[in-house]
Amino acid sequence: MKVTDEALRPVELDQQAVGRLSRMDSLQNQSLSKGLREREIVQLSQIREALERAEAGRYGLCTVCDGLIPFERLYVFPEAPECAACVT
Ligand SMILES: [Zn+2]
């Protein structure tokens, strides 16, 4: 999922429709976009860390308990840093 820079720009009042409702709507959309962007940043850092673990030969090992992360979990969540039991 991509968040466009357009959606992250400061909310500007539309001169044609300055109603309070439309402004609240814009603010709500903006905070939704920010939430998505933050999730992307977290996911990106998890992917980078997974690549580092792969280089260290530790990919697929839980960073908490050192156990093997089941293939099924890596299949749906390849950057998973920990096994399902250790997810906080
Ligand atoms: Zn674990």
Side-chain angles (χ1 to χ4, degrees):
M1 204 179 319
K2 288 269 169 286
V3 178
T4 61
D5 289 337
E6 177 84 13
L8 290 169
R9 278 211 306 241
V11 175
E12 284 169 28
L13 279 181
D14 182 348
Q15 298 293 1
Q16 308 291 348
V18 182
R20 204 144 48 121
L21 279 179
S22 73
R23 177 160 168 79
M24 280 173 60
D25 218 38
S26 301
L27 288 172
Q28 218 162 33
N29 282 338
Q30 195 192 28
S31 76
L32 187 68
S33 299
K34 274 184 181 161
L36 289 173
R37 172 61 64 89
E38 275 159 27
R39 218 172 311 158
E40 281 187 340
I41 290 168
V42 169
Q43 195 186 14
L44 191 58
S45 75
Q46 285 185 334
I47 291 171
R48 287 211 180 99
E49 284 165 20
L51 289 172
E52 279 169 19
R53 287 198 301 281
E55 276 185 20
R58 298 185 52 79
Y59 179 76
L61 292 177
C62 175
T63 56
V64 180
C65 72
D66 270 349
L68 276 174
I69 302 174
F71 175 75
E72 291 80 3
R73 177 164 166 75
L74 291 173
Y75 185 74
V76 292
F77 186 19
E79 67 274 25
E82 63 276 288
C83 70
C86 293
V87 175
T88 45

